[in-house]
């Protein structure tokens, strides 16, 4: 924690000498609905509501950074009286109020499609939520995804609540020194100036959650942010009841040392569970979004043991049945880990409450020991904990799930990578949040208003083809002009802040060309995202950018983590290149990338550039935001673009191939050249090929194809429906079965699990036989028989399977298929199983037999429990 944020002397003064009170806006009675609208974040994705607040005082709207709650407390009383007598304004307010009331009361997708599950409740835990730029408690993509998740859950009527932390100083604000080095500053969030309500108990007192730690008790206040129909509950430790060091826990997002981070995650996970219990919310499913909140699993287990008298195995099974997990990070170092010593420092008392040994608790956050050869076993992985104690898990794109199965396969030794139980649900965006006003208006006219309510409907998006080219182009040009104007104004402020001379500041008024082909690049400045790749060959990019007949320009934004000096070096390099006289008017770096800056960029650029090192981009969503605004993607085939790019209909461009290069420098060389080649030979010629009316019809055709193919797929409505159908409802149903009749079913499963663990090693696949005499013709079947000694287990406990496919040179099965075998007879201690293989592959094939645990007819993937035939 930055010590300047919590000045000890100042804190003592405040605590001893100041009595707090809260001042609220004094609105004329007729304007009272303004506060109701401001206190529901629905307004931020409703253009009529945004315009209502902007209309009150445009300068104040900008000064408060689009925060209506703060603005209502700052508007002059005379202005409020004037507005209360303005029939046009009051009428506008009434329309918005009625629209909000209609939204809150209307039937939804969930009420129609999932009416059988109307009484279910889901909880979504995340360490950051990006709802709007006026509530800066987010850093980037994870927070934006979390915020969009809640918004679409609201639109679709999901019975969901969000749980997170409320940070006093949030994430840092970025500014650059004169030489381009990133600096960080932290601004205090004033909660009472935000659309937050402190949650009260039934008796009117404020709700306080307490969390026990070995050193002291941590107290947390509870705030509610209403996001449409979805409440987001946020925990905050920065108040008088806590000592200074505890108040700092919710100071900064991703701030402090390892001890501060584990305390934040204890407050989020354990405090979050206690919060829900205090609110009498008993979720059927908890969605753990990234591993930061995974300590909630321990707290849930403790609750079942102490409140319901369950054993540790029973508690493990019931908690596992109710949780789902989304992993976001395809790089091992990016997944949260703590030293075992630090975990035990805070969780040794939890071991006693769980009735577990220290080694058993630590094992939940580590790979099986025999699978790890050169890995440090002294660390506890939050991702492994979440994967081990969740019913379902997913990556955030198809490719990311493949990478994740490879990364975490050691949790299930002996299970082929393809079968590691991590699936994918590809990310999306909340379309209403990210669409420009201009394109929203076009869609209303030509697609009908249903595009807002049903953004995943392909038939609606197909109507994009009916929008006249001239209208699309005029709307897009207005957005580009607005982006250029915004960039100039922001650059001017940046230069003034750095103490630049008036001569240098004046160039900001002329930087960029509103009619030039504009490339947008904005994201976190981690090394693998290669923010400077387009500048690899400086002379070549200068040649492209300095062509007066075909003007091209680049606008860049993004933050490096405060401790990432490599990322800061990349930013410095770009800023210094932008100061080159040949690039000064063509390349701009915008400071302090946030949701507001993102809106301008994804709505106003022509090309959205993305060039990470494949496969290190889990998903990425900025390109999805660009696509719905007619901005065309130009990206490495990584993350979501592997699924989004369609070579047949040419809905964008790709950079390089899917090949892996052993040498990073060589890969950068190849892929930077690919960027230049595509720009010179395809992108620039297409953009500047104009008809007699000055409209680039070929380019507009590509814009339309991009919107038609990407808009209906990469949105959070589609994503939410997938989570609901594939994860939430099946998990809730399974969880409810285990809870029924005083946990009879879970007690039965726990006995089964203990019996399986105790007796698994007694299983032996004694023999397998088949009817192969010679070569087999394709499309015939091969009968296989296996003799299995089950030891103390029963046929109901196990699944015997034929595992077949092509054989490679090492006699390893590839392109495998699994066929269930059936029990046909018994000979003494041996159970005889039989199955068939359809010979539908030509070439060198093979099979083997394996046994997996099975419960109630479903195969269970349990650590270290798969038995393969050894004696073929």
């Amino acid at each position: 924690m930055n010590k300047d944020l919590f000045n000890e002397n100042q804190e003592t003064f405040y605590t001893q000498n100041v009595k707090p009170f809260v001042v609220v806006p004094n609105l004329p009675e007729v304007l009272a609905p303004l506060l109701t609208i401001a206190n529901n974040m629905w307004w931020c994705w409703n253009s009529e509501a945004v315009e209502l607040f902007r209309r009150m005082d445009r300068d104040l709207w900008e000064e408060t950074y689009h925060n209506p709650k703060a603005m209502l407390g700052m508007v002059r009383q005379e202005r409020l009286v004037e507005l209360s007598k303005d029939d046009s304004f009051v009428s506008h307010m009434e329309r918005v109020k009625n629209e909000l009331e209609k939204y809150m009361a209307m039937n939804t997708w969930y009420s129609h499609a999932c009416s059988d599950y109307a009484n279910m409740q889901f909880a979504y835990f995340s360490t950051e939520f990006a709802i709007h730029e006026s509530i800066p408690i987010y850093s980037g993509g994870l927070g934006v995804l979390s915020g969009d998740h809640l918004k679409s859950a609201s639109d679709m009527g999901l019975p969901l609540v969000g749980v997170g932390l409320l940070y006093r100083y949030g994430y840092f604000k970025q500014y650059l020194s004169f030489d381009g080095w990133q600096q960080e500053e932290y601004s205090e969030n004033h909660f009472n100036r935000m659309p937050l309500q402190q949650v009260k108990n039934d008796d009117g007192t404020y709700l306080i959650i307490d969390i026990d730690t070995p050193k002291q008790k941590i107290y947390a206040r509870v705030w509610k942010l209403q996001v449409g129909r979805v409440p987001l509950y946020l925990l905050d430790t920065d108040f008088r009841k806590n000592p200074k060091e505890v108040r700092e826990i919710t100071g900064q997002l991703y701030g402090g040392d390892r001890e501060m981070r584990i305390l934040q995650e204890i407050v989020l996970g354990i405090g979050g569970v206690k919060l829900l219990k205090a609110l009498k919310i008993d979720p059927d499913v908890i969605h753990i979004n990234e591993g930061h909140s995974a300590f909630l699993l321990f707290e849930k287990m403790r609750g079942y043991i102490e409140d319901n008298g369950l054993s540790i195995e029973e508690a493990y099974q019931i908690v596992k049945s109710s949780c789902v997990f989304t992993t976001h990070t395809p790089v091992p170092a990016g997944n949260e880990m703590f030293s075992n010593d630090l975990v035990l420092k805070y969780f040794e008392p939890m071991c006693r409450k769980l009735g577990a040994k220290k080694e058993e608790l630590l094992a939940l956050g580590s790979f099986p020991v025999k699978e790890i050869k050169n890995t440090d076993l002294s660390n506890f992985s939050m991702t492994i904990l979440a994967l081990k104690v969740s019913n379902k898990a997913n990556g955030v794109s198809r490719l990311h799930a493949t990478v994740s199965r490879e990364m975490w396969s050691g949790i299930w030794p002996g299970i082929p990578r393809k079968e590691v139980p991590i699936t994918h649900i590809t990310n999306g965006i909340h379309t209403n949040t990210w669409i420009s006003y201009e394109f929203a208006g076009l869609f209303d006219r030509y697609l009908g208003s249903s595009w807002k309510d049903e953004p995943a409907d392909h038939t609606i998006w197909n109507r994009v083809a009916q929008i006249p080219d001239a209208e699309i182009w005029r709307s897009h040009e207005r957005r580009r002009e607005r982006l250029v104007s915004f960039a100039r104004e922001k650059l001017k402020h940046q230069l003034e802040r750095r103490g630049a001379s008036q001569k240098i500041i004046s160039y900001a008024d002329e930087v960029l060309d509103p009619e030039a082909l504009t490339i947008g690049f904005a994201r976190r400045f981690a090394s693998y995202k290669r923010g400077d790749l387009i500048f690899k060959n400086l002379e070549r990019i200068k040649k492209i950018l300095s062509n007066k007949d075909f003007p091209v320009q680049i606008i860049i934004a993004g933050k490096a983590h405060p401790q990432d000096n490599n990322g800061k070096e990349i930013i410095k390099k770009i800023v210094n290149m932008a100061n080159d006289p040949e690039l000064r008017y063509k390349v701009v770096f915008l400071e302090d990338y946030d949701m507001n800056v993102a809106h301008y960029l994804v709505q106003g650029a022509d090309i959205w550039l993305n060039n990470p090192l494949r496969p290190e981009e889990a998903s990425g969503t900025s390109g999805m935001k660009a696509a719905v605004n007619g901005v065309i993607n130009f990206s490495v085939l990584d993350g979501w673009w592997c699924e989004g790019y369609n070579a047949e209909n040419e809905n964008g461009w790709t950079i390089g191939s899917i090949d892996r290069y052993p040498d990073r420098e060589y890969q950068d060389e190849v892929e930077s050249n690919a960027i230049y080649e595509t720009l010179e030979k395809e992108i620039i010629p297409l953009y500047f090929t104009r008809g007699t009316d000055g409209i680039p019809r070929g380019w507009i055709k590509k814009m339309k194809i991009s919107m038609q193919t990407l808009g209906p797929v990469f949105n959070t409505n589609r994503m939410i429906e997938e989570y609901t159908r594939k994860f939430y409802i099946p998990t809730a149903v399974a969880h409810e079965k285990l809870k029924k009749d005083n946990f009879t079913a879970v007690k039965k499963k726990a006995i089964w699990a203990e019996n399986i663990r105790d007796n698994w090693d007694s299983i032996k696949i004694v023999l397998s036989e088949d009817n192969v005499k010679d070569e087999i013709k394709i499309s015939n079947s091969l009968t296989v028989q296996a003799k299995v000694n089950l030891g103390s287990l029963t046929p109901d406990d196990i699944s015997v399977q034929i595992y077949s496919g092509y054989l490679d040179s090492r006699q390893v099965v590839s392109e495998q298929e699994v066929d269930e075998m059936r029990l046909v007879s018994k000979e003494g201690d041996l159970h005889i199983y039989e199955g068939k293989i359809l010979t539908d592959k030509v070439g060198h094939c093979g099979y083997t037999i394996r046994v997996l645990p099975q419960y109630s007819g479903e195969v269970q993937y349990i650590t270290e429990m798969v038995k393969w035939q050894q004696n073929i």
Side-chain angles (χ1 to χ4, degrees), residues 516-548:
L517 170 62
T518 302
I519 300 170
F521 181 96
R523 51 197 29 88
R524 182 165 56 90
F525 265 75
S527 297
Y528 78 87
K529 292 180 183 282
R530 299 187 296 180
D532 59 344
L533 185 65
I534 196 170
F535 301 104
K536 176 77 174 172
N537 185 330
L538 194 53
E539 292 309 310
R540 193 163 179 187
I541 192 62
K542 280 183 177 181
K543 182 181 177 183
I544 292 170
L545 297 180
S546 61
N547 189 326
K548 293 179 180 174

Side-chain angles (χ1 to χ4, degrees), residues 287-420:
H287 186 161
I288 301 170
N289 190 44
E290 196 60 297
H292 306 105
S293 61
F295 287 136
L296 69 85
L297 298 163
F298 291 156
E299 178 62 17
K300 289 290 289 183
M301 289 171 64
R302 182 206 61 76
Y304 280 114
I305 290 169
E306 293 187 357
D307 298 342
N308 302 99
L310 300 187
S311 70
I312 185 171
E313 180 63 42
E314 292 162 354
Y316 169 82
Q317 293 293 343
I318 196 71
V319 171
K320 181 179 173 70
S321 75
S322 67
C323 293
V324 300
F325 172 58
T326 299
T327 177
H328 289 262
T329 312
V331 182
N335 288 267
E336 190 78 281
M337 300 184 80
F338 298 106
S339 71
N340 284 345
D341 290 342
L342 189 57
V343 171
L344 288 177
K345 176 179 177 179
Y346 286 98
F347 283 93
E348 201 158 357
M350 180 69 81
C351 291
R352 293 190 290 274
K353 292 176 181 178
L354 295 177
K357 297 177 182 176
K358 293 185 292 186
E359 296 76 15
E360 292 174 323
L361 183 137
L362 293 175
L364 286 173
S366 66
F367 288 112
V369 173
K370 71 180 183 181
E371 285 298 302
I372 308 301
K373 296 179 176 62
N374 299 314
T375 300
D376 181 6
L377 292 175
S378 63
N379 283 327
F380 182 97
S381 167
M382 299 294 279
T383 301
I384 292 178
L385 170 62
L387 286 168
K388 283 187 174 181
V389 199
S390 288
N391 183 46
K392 295 180 183 292
N394 71 287
V396 289
S397 70
R398 185 180 292 120
L399 177 61
H400 178 228
T402 301
V403 173
S404 297
R405 286 191 287 271
E406 180 72 29
M407 281 175 60
W408 306 111
S409 60
I411 299 173
W412 300 275
I415 296 295
R417 302 289 187 269
K418 182 180 176 183
E419 294 181 58
V420 168

Side-chain angles (χ1 to χ4, degrees), residues 145-390:
L145 187 279
S146 301
D148 283 8
H149 192 110
L150 297 196
K151 291 172 185 177
S152 275
S154 169
D155 289 344
M156 301 176 75
L158 252 68
L160 181 139
V161 300
V163 179
L165 298 179
L166 184 59
Y167 303 96
R168 176 63 71 183
Y169 295 91
Y171 203 51
F172 70 91
K173 288 185 175 295
Q174 176 199 54
Y175 68 98
L176 304 179
S177 63
F178 200 76
D179 66 352
W181 189 255
Q182 174 180 290
Q183 307 288 322
E184 297 91 28
E185 67 177 1
Y186 293 85
S187 298
E188 182 175 355
N189 287 324
H190 298 279
F191 303 153
N192 287 305
R193 298 180 200 168
M194 295 176 171
L196 297 161
Q197 305 295 323
Q198 195 175 342
V199 177
K200 294 182 179 180
N201 296 303
D202 292 338
D203 62 3
T205 58
Y206 288 116
L207 174 62
I208 305 289
I209 304 301
D210 61 87
I211 304 142
D212 289 317
T213 71
K215 183 179 178 182
Q216 62 198 334
K217 195 180 285 285
I218 296 171
Y219 296 97
R221 295 185 295 191
V222 183
W223 300 80
K224 183 173 81 166
L225 180 68
Q226 194 67 36
V227 185
R229 301 180 180 93
V230 171
L232 168 58
Y233 294 101
L234 300 166
L235 292 164
D236 149 45
T237 63
D238 183 21
F239 64 109
R240 291 182 175 187
K241 197 172 178 69
N242 289 315
K244 176 177 175 291
E245 65 273 14
V246 173
R247 295 184 68 162
E248 294 179 4
I249 291 173
T250 56
Q252 294 176 23
L253 171 62
Y254 304 135
D257 56 15
R258 300 311 300 159
E259 186 135 11
M260 181 60 74
R261 286 291 286 274
I262 199 171
L263 284 167
Q264 285 186 336
E265 298 183 12
I266 287 168
V267 171
L268 174 60
I270 294 179
V273 170
K274 290 192 164 198
L275 149 69
L276 293 177
K277 188 173 182 180
L279 295 174
K280 299 180 175 58
I281 296 172
D282 183 17
D284 299 273
V285 177
I286 290 179
H287 186 161
I288 301 170
N289 190 44
E290 196 60 297
H292 306 105
S293 61
F295 287 136
L296 69 85
L297 298 163
F298 291 156
E299 178 62 17
K300 289 290 289 183
M301 289 171 64
R302 182 206 61 76
Y304 280 114
I305 290 169
E306 293 187 357
D307 298 342
N308 302 99
L310 300 187
S311 70
I312 185 171
E313 180 63 42
E314 292 162 354
Y316 169 82
Q317 293 293 343
I318 196 71
V319 171
K320 181 179 173 70
S321 75
S322 67
C323 293
V324 300
F325 172 58
T326 299
T327 177
H328 289 262
T329 312
V331 182
N335 288 267
E336 190 78 281
M337 300 184 80
F338 298 106
S339 71
N340 284 345
D341 290 342
L342 189 57
V343 171
L344 288 177
K345 176 179 177 179
Y346 286 98
F347 283 93
E348 201 158 357
M350 180 69 81
C351 291
R352 293 190 290 274
K353 292 176 181 178
L354 295 177
K357 297 177 182 176
K358 293 185 292 186
E359 296 76 15
E360 292 174 323
L361 183 137
L362 293 175
L364 286 173
S366 66
F367 288 112
V369 173
K370 71 180 183 181
E371 285 298 302
I372 308 301
K373 296 179 176 62
N374 299 314
T375 300
D376 181 6
L377 292 175
S378 63
N379 283 327
F380 182 97
S381 167
M382 299 294 279
T383 301
I384 292 178
L385 170 62
L387 286 168
K388 283 187 174 181
V389 199
S390 288

Side-chain angles (χ1 to χ4, degrees), residues 28 30-31 75-86:
V30 70
L31 298 183
V75 175
R76 292 177 297 106
Q77 201 65 33
E78 308 91 272
R79 175 61 176 160
L80 291 175
V81 172
E82 180 184 322
L83 289 170
S84 70
K85 297 176 180 178
D86 183 336

